[in-house]
Amino acid sequence: QVQLVESGGGLVQTGGSLRLSCVVSGRSSSDYAMGWFRQAPGKEREFVAASKWSGDSTDYADSVQGRTTISRDNAKNTVFLQMNSVKTEDTAVYYCAAGVQWRASRPDHYTYWGQGTQVTVSS
């Protein structure tokens, strides 16, 4: 059974940076395209970033493009999300997801999900 466990959330000040990690167990992370999503209170889950199986192609939501990097270390079955210049609107629970479709920005395109990690950006 595939399990995803996120870590790295917490309280960050506006303009600061955050780095989230997602460890994949049960199968190799290289079997999956990996995505990051987030969900703020009262809002739908939204796409943040995705990485192709090998990590040589990435995709980003417009709202985070240019200040966010998704990367992966398949040898360690780990995917990362680095976000710089954070804003209060980045506050959300961040989820890691694994699926078999590349450039999948819809949550229903992903099969496996982590439990989420809370990120709060304070002004």
Side-chain angles (χ1 to χ4, degrees):
Q1 183 174 350
V2 178
Q3 291 187 324
L4 309 179
V5 179
E6 303 97 335
S7 62
L11 182 63
V12 187
Q13 287 192 330
T14 302
S17 298
L18 61 88
R19 182 176 172 86
L20 305 180
S21 301
C22 171
V23 177
V24 181
S25 63
R27 283 191 67 170
S28 172
S29 60
S30 61
D31 291 338
Y32 300 100
M34 299 297 298
W36 284 95
F37 287 77
R38 65 187 182 186
Q39 188 166 19
K43 295 187 177 181
E44 294 187 351
R45 193 167 297 189
E46 66 172 0
F47 170 74
V48 176
S51 169
K52 203 173 183 181
W53 300 268
S54 59
D56 58 351
S57 292
T58 55
D59 195 19
Y60 298 94
D62 290 343
S63 59
V64 303
Q65 179 79 47
R67 60 188 183 95
T68 300
T69 302
I70 184 172
S71 60
R72 57 196 301 165
D73 184 342
N74 286 336
K76 296 182 178 180
N77 278 350
T78 303
V79 181
F80 305 96
L81 185 74
Q82 175 77 35
M83 186 177 290
N84 302 319
S85 302
V86 297
K87 308 172 184 179
T88 54
E89 50 263 45
D90 294 321
T91 295
V93 177
Y94 283 71
Y95 297 91
C96 174
V100 295
Q101 297 191 47
W102 167 229
R103 283 223 164 103
S105 60
R106 285 170 40 185
D108 59 358
H109 287 164
Y110 291 83
T111 305
Y112 302 103
W113 290 84
Q115 82 289 350
T117 185
Q118 174 71 48
V119 171
T120 302
V121 181
S122 65
S123 58

